[in-house]
Amino acid sequence: MDQLVRVLNGIDRRLRVLEEWATAILIAVIVAATAIGVFWRYVLRDPLSWPNELSLFLFLWIAFLAASMVARDDGHFKIEFFLEKRSEATQQWVNIFLNVLKFIFLVVFVWVSIRVFPIQSKRRMTAVLGVHKGWHTFSLTIGFSLMALTVVTDTLRRFVALRTLKSQRGGKQQ
């Protein structure tokens, strides 16, 4: 299991860099599109319609990539008041249970987004750019898949931590 955790940690590091770069590029494109839209509207007095559409479309992708990055940093909201008062082993088991629930939720959403993709691909999301709604849905598929991978990695790390705790307790008793 240690080997698998090392492999997943390596994948996790690479995905983090990829997500950060992709998010940074998308934010830069949104800023540029917005600046172009403002310039054309207020300086040239000839408003463009595509900057708003592009910004709204890319914002969804940023939201799901950012959600994946927050999940990787364990930054989503949770209340740990009761859990902090328990032993480390109990905390690990509770977090493993919660990770299983999260994984089920994420897999259902990935499955649904994959099933909906062909249907949404037949519809146009934007009037000017002609981007299909399937690309909208695909952001959910990617974001939730990345979060599911993070949950699996975190769960395996917690199992390794439990094994380490068990071996430490075993060594103290002898």
Side-chain angles (χ1 to χ4, degrees), residues 61-100:
W61 277 88
I62 290 171
F64 282 101
L65 288 175
S68 174
M69 290 188 293
V70 169
R72 184 170 286 110
D73 292 334
D74 198 25
H76 285 116
F77 180 75
K78 61 184 174 182
I79 300 173
E80 295 181 341
F81 177 75
F82 295 109
L83 196 56
E84 289 174 346
K85 306 213 181 292
R86 305 289 172 241
S87 69
E88 191 173 341
T90 302
Q91 290 179 29
Q92 295 294 354
W93 280 112
V94 168
N95 282 313
I96 288 169
F97 173 73
L98 293 174
N99 278 351
V100 169

Side-chain angles (χ1 to χ4, degrees), residues 10-121:
I11 292 170
D12 195 48
R13 280 191 301 276
R14 288 178 186 91
L15 283 175
R16 175 186 294 274
V17 170
L18 183 65
E19 286 171 342
E20 288 172 355
W21 273 99
T23 304
I25 289 168
L26 293 177
I27 289 172
V29 170
I30 286 176
V31 168
T34 303
I36 290 168
V38 167
F39 179 78
W40 249 261
R41 176 179 298 270
Y42 295 107
V43 175
L44 301 180
R45 306 260 188 238
D46 185 23
L48 300 172
S49 55
W50 65 265
N52 288 339
E53 285 187 4
L54 181 63
S55 296
L56 288 171
F57 174 72
L58 295 180
F59 185 76
L60 183 67
W61 277 88
I62 290 171
F64 282 101
L65 288 175
S68 174
M69 290 188 293
V70 169
R72 184 170 286 110
D73 292 334
D74 198 25
H76 285 116
F77 180 75
K78 61 184 174 182
I79 300 173
E80 295 181 341
F81 177 75
F82 295 109
L83 196 56
E84 289 174 346
K85 306 213 181 292
R86 305 289 172 241
S87 69
E88 191 173 341
T90 302
Q91 290 179 29
Q92 295 294 354
W93 280 112
V94 168
N95 282 313
I96 288 169
F97 173 73
L98 293 174
N99 278 351
V100 169
L101 293 178
K102 283 187 236 177
F103 184 76
I104 292 168
F105 171 81
L106 291 167
V107 166
V108 167
F109 267 92
V110 168
W111 181 75
V112 169
S113 68
I114 289 171
R115 296 280 313 247
V116 170
F117 182 79
I119 298 164
Q120 294 290 67
S121 293

